[in-house]
Amino acid sequence: MDLNRPASPLQSQNQATPRNRKALASAAIAAALLLSACGGGAAPQGAEQAAAADPASGANASGAVNICGVKDASGIYKGTAEAFTKANGKVTAKYTEIGATTDEARTQIVQRLEGKSTECDLFLTDVIWTSEFASQGWLLDQTKLVEANKGRLIPSTVETTKYQDKYWASPFFTNAGLIYYQKDKVAKPESWQQLYAEAAKVPGNGYVYQGKQYEGLTVNFLEMLYSAGGEVLNDQGDVTIDSKETRDVLNFMSDGLKNGSADRAVLTYNEDPARLAYESGDFGYQRNWPHVYRLLNATPLASTFGVAPLPAWEGGEASGVLGGWNLAISAHSTNQAGAVAFIDFATTPDWQKHVAMDYSQAPVNEAAYSDAAVLQKMPFATELLASVKGAKPRPISPVYPQISQAIYKNVYAVLSGTASTEEAVQKMADEITTAKASF
């Protein structure tokens, strides 16, 4: 949110006429609310004053619970609500769609939270929203609830719910990138260097990924940066992206476009175009999400491809970037006990198997990945688990959207040839530092 706007009519409020004084007063109130929402002006309620969810309350819950979030394309949200209602008997749950896309859903959620609406008890939240929502005091502190359920949750998924050493949501299902490869053309990748070398060998071996100027490019870049040992922010929240590792990864990605390891068309690809390009049969490798497995099996490529975890940087360790969705309890919920009961159900090992079998999503429960029924429906579960366990959250900050924009804009500038690596690294670091200072 841009706070460096031109001076507003509020500056001339002292000369306001009776006719426009009321309008100016309303504008002043709106501006104050805007500054509060952006982290400027008066401090928001904040995470420090948030109430905590009681893990024991779910056992005696009753009444109705409303879960709100993005359009339910796969049916997983409504399906979970119906299964919970049937299994619980005392609490009725329903899922309410409040946005056709992730961005629309976020806008609708923020409006309800800012307005202290009691419509929604639980919100389905993207993993990158945790810090922003928690910092505003919009969510219940779920630390005790997460600690009570921690034994059945994959540790990396729990980290996506953390802000200021507390947990503000419970993982529902997760996501981590995978490499799809043509077994008759290229070898299973063990390192990024090997993958790029194989991809450049002959025409038809190339690598496709998400290189468009958007969040997906941030993820693709961070997957390599993390595996190379780099980071964006350190444990103290300091900006550490100006590093040798960042330069190495940017140069490597740029060289890959120059030497033919990756087709320059990737600069226009998000997830679906990358998948469709790979389905043409003209490429050896594709980086994409787990849901692509089912789609590829409905094409002529069925049974011709393998699935592998993301490779390691040569001399380092593999590291993905977690996606997925969490369940956050609104600070304004009128049935917090019912919300706790719903979370307890949604994270049980038994229901997490259905997350994989019925909806092709990645469970947050490790035992589900070795279940025979799950393996029958999701044969690559072992590879997916390796990617999930080795993955890390994106930078944890209330201003993550600005941080991500600083990353993908400058990575894209290097890949497209409009900036040098040195220029991009310095600009990236400066823009992230400015974003952090704005909160």
Side-chain angles (χ1 to χ4, degrees):
M1 193 169 292
D2 182 12
L3 297 179
N4 299 313
R5 297 183 178 87
S8 76
L10 293 175
Q11 291 175 333
S12 58
Q13 187 171 359
N14 289 337
Q15 285 106 37
T17 65
R19 183 179 178 184
N20 63 18
R21 203 166 279 140
K22 182 177 180 181
L24 288 168
S26 298
I29 293 170
L33 289 172
L34 179 64
L35 285 168
S36 176
C38 294
Q45 176 188 350
E48 300 82 5
Q49 300 176 40
D54 178 7
S57 64
N60 299 311
S62 60
V65 168
N66 191 21
I67 305 101
C68 299
V70 73
K71 182 178 179 180
D72 190 12
S74 70
I76 185 173
Y77 312 130
K78 292 178 182 176
T80 303
E82 290 169 2
F84 165 75
T85 299
K86 184 176 180 180
N88 184 277
K90 296 184 295 181
V91 183
T92 301
K94 73 170 182 175
Y95 184 75
T96 300
E97 295 179 350
I98 56 172
T101 68
T102 299
D103 286 344
E104 288 176 12
R106 181 192 169 278
T107 298
Q108 293 294 321
I109 290 171
V110 168
Q111 287 177 356
R112 285 161 173 78
L113 289 169
E114 285 184 326
K116 298 184 179 181
S117 169
T118 60
E119 175 192 358
C120 306
D121 299 287
L122 282 155
F123 288 106
L124 189 75
T125 58
D126 191 308
V127 294
I128 64 175
W129 300 343
T130 301
S131 298
E132 177 191 4
F133 289 7
S135 68
Q136 297 293 333
W138 290 340
L139 308 178
L140 283 195
D141 173 3
Q142 286 193 42
T143 302
K144 291 181 181 178
L145 180 58
V146 171
E147 292 286 357
N149 292 331
K150 221 173 185 180
R152 63 196 192 198
L153 300 171
I154 298 171
S156 61
T157 69
V158 174
E159 289 303 301
T160 68
T161 73
K162 197 172 188 179
Y163 174 68
Q164 291 189 346
D165 296 322
K166 292 181 180 180
Y167 301 112
W168 299 93
S170 290
F172 180 31
F173 63 86
T174 188
N175 221 345
L178 295 167
I179 298 294
Y180 297 86
Y181 63 100
Q182 288 302 111
K183 294 183 288 186
D184 61 337
K185 290 183 178 183
V186 293
K188 179 181 178 180
E190 301 297 335
S191 71
W192 285 111
Q193 285 76 6
Q194 177 212 337
L195 185 155
Y196 268 59
E198 290 256 344
K201 273 183 181 178
V202 294
N205 280 17
Y207 173 52
V208 290
Y209 62 91
Q210 295 76 49
K212 188 177 178 179
Q213 195 171 189
Y214 80 119
E215 176 69 18
L217 180 55
T218 295
V219 171
N220 278 250
F221 169 73
L222 290 179
E223 286 168 345
M224 283 196 192
L225 180 67
Y226 287 167
S227 66
E231 57 188 1
V232 178
L233 307 174
N234 64 16
D235 292 341
Q236 289 72 47
D238 302 319
V239 179
T240 52
I241 200 165
D242 186 347
S243 67
K244 177 182 181 299
E245 291 81 9
T246 299
R247 289 170 174 79
D248 288 346
V249 170
L250 282 175
N251 286 331
F252 179 77
M253 294 178 74
S254 179
D255 289 345
L257 288 169
K258 294 172 184 174
N259 66 23
S261 295
D263 192 293
R264 291 192 66 81
V266 300
L267 298 178
T268 67
Y269 290 168
N270 55 19
E271 284 81 359
D272 235 30
R275 173 182 65 83
L276 293 172
Y278 184 76
E279 285 179 8
S280 72
D282 295 333
F283 297 93
Y285 294 104
Q286 173 193 198
R287 182 266 172 220
N288 222 314
W289 300 102
H291 75 277
V292 166
Y293 178 84
R294 176 177 55 84
L295 299 174
L296 281 177
N297 271 318
T299 74
L301 294 185
S303 78
T304 69
F305 64 91
V307 184
L310 294 176
W313 189 258
E314 206 164 67
E317 295 183 2
S319 180
V321 174
L322 284 177
W325 293 85
N326 299 329
L327 291 165
I329 304 175
S330 169
H332 314 300
S333 167
T334 57
N335 193 356
Q336 295 177 4
V340 169
F342 182 84
I343 287 172
D344 281 338
F345 172 84
T347 57
T348 57
D350 183 62
W351 185 250
Q352 285 292 305
K353 294 176 188 177
H354 289 278
V355 166
M357 292 186 298
D358 300 343
Y359 304 106
S360 300
Q361 299 291 355
V364 295
N365 172 259
E366 183 169 347
Y369 291 83
S370 58
D371 182 82
V374 170
L375 286 166
Q376 186 174 6
K377 290 284 188 75
M378 193 183 277
F380 62 96
T382 301
E383 289 78 12
L384 177 56
L385 177 61
S387 275
V388 170
K389 290 181 73 174
K392 298 178 182 178
R394 279 160 265 190
I396 297 172
S397 171
V399 292
Y400 174 77
Q402 294 96 307
I403 291 174
S404 179
Q405 185 179 61
I407 293 171
Y408 66 67
K409 277 198 323 181
N410 288 292
V411 172
Y412 185 86
V414 173
L415 300 186
S416 63
T418 60
S420 70
T421 291
E422 193 59 37
E423 290 169 339
V425 171
Q426 292 180 12
K427 193 173 180 184
M428 207 184 305
D430 289 345
E431 290 176 355
I432 294 172
T433 300
T434 299
K436 282 180 56 60
S438 71
F439 184 80

